[in-house]
Amino acid sequence: MADPVRVAVLISGRGSNMLALSEHKRRDPERTYRIELVASNVPEARGLVLAKRLGLRTWAKSHEGMKRAEFDALLDAALEEHGIEIVALAGYMRLLSPGFVDKWEGRILNIHPSLLPLHKGLDTHRRALLAGDEFAGCSVHVVTADLDSGPVVAQARVKILPRDDPESLAQRVLEEEHRLYPLALEEYCRAVRELES
Ligand code: GAR
């Protein structure tokens, strides 16, 4: 069996998707990825505490007062130091610099809480409700230079109910995120190894 792909998960907050990615890895012994590093631009992010509890390696540095490219160069150095092959953004709420995205082309995934190409950016659930959409959902996509615009590799839909508000919708979509992201990462990493062989 091929070695698991070495993954870094990038977070800025709560870290529930990072947890789901990590739990999935624990449940599946024939896993195609292994989380080598959890990195954050927010040193006080709750997800970092969870990651440490899980025994995962962490890296954290505040981006405040730094130019985007300068911060991303430090992040890149940390990824290289840990031999990272794939970067999984999981609630990483900071735009990556073009140089970073260019270097990691095809090797960064993101989970976004909408049915892309609908509702790129922030406040997705409120916008889905305001638009009168029948479905909300989440998308896993490859990160490119344009925000939330890279190729979608997996999506899950959630029916919008008449009584929904942004919070209730976010909660149901998040459950789908936790199911979808590990499966999508698993498949992506399988494809990465197959392309190499
Ligand atoms: C998730 O809903 C994720 O899809 C979203 O932030 C939340 C992070 O939650 N990401 C974005 O909006 C990226 N544009 P988590 O920290 O509990 O995983």
Side-chain angles (χ1 to χ4, degrees):
M1 205 174 65
D3 285 345
V5 172
R6 299 169 69 89
V7 168
V9 182
L10 269 53
I11 64 170
S12 297
R14 165 178 71 174
S16 72
N17 276 289
M18 177 276 299
L19 194 60
L21 292 173
S22 161
E23 293 284 310
H24 178 75
K25 170 212 90 172
R26 282 168 180 230
R27 278 203 301 267
D28 182 358
E30 290 195 10
R31 57 191 187 259
T32 62
Y33 68 85
R34 184 171 65 219
I35 298 177
E36 284 294 324
L37 186 67
V38 175
S40 183
N41 62 322
V42 181
E44 60 279 9
R46 196 169 84 80
L48 287 172
V49 178
L50 294 177
K52 283 181 189 146
R53 272 193 214 140
L54 292 168
L56 296 169
R57 290 194 195 89
T58 60
W59 178 91
K61 180 151 188 66
S62 170
H63 62 264
E64 276 172 37
M66 291 182 87
K67 293 212 171 78
R68 201 175 294 281
E70 198 186 336
F71 177 84
D72 284 356
L74 295 180
L75 175 62
D76 177 66
L79 301 180
E80 290 293 358
E81 194 186 320
H82 289 85
I84 298 305
E85 298 170 274
I86 293 286
V87 178
L89 308 185
Y92 187 68
M93 305 308 274
R94 184 164 167 82
L95 285 177
L96 293 164
S97 54
F100 184 95
V101 174
D102 200 38
K103 178 184 163 183
W104 290 87
E105 187 187 0
R107 295 190 289 151
I108 313 173
L109 293 181
N110 180 40
I111 185 140
H112 182 74
S114 80
L115 293 172
L116 291 172
L118 295 176
H119 312 309
K120 297 172 183 175
L122 299 175
D123 215 11
T124 54
H125 304 302
R126 185 177 306 280
R127 287 193 283 141
L129 289 168
L130 281 175
D133 295 348
E134 192 183 350
F135 292 98
C138 50
S139 309
V140 177
H141 68 96
V142 181
V143 171
T144 56
D146 296 322
L147 179 70
D148 299 331
S149 298
V152 171
V153 297
Q155 276 185 326
R157 289 197 315 180
V158 168
K159 176 105 175 115
I160 296 182
L161 305 174
R163 59 177 159 75
D164 266 328
D165 58 21
E167 289 70 35
S168 65
L169 192 53
Q171 184 53 43
R172 291 209 310 292
V173 171
L174 191 64
E175 284 167 22
E176 286 302 310
E177 293 183 39
H178 295 164
R179 196 185 55 76
L180 185 71
Y181 206 4
L183 295 174
L185 182 61
E186 179 86 21
E187 277 310 302
Y188 202 79
C189 290
R190 195 186 313 281
V192 165
R193 281 289 179 262
E194 274 169 18
L195 282 173
E196 287 169 354
S197 62

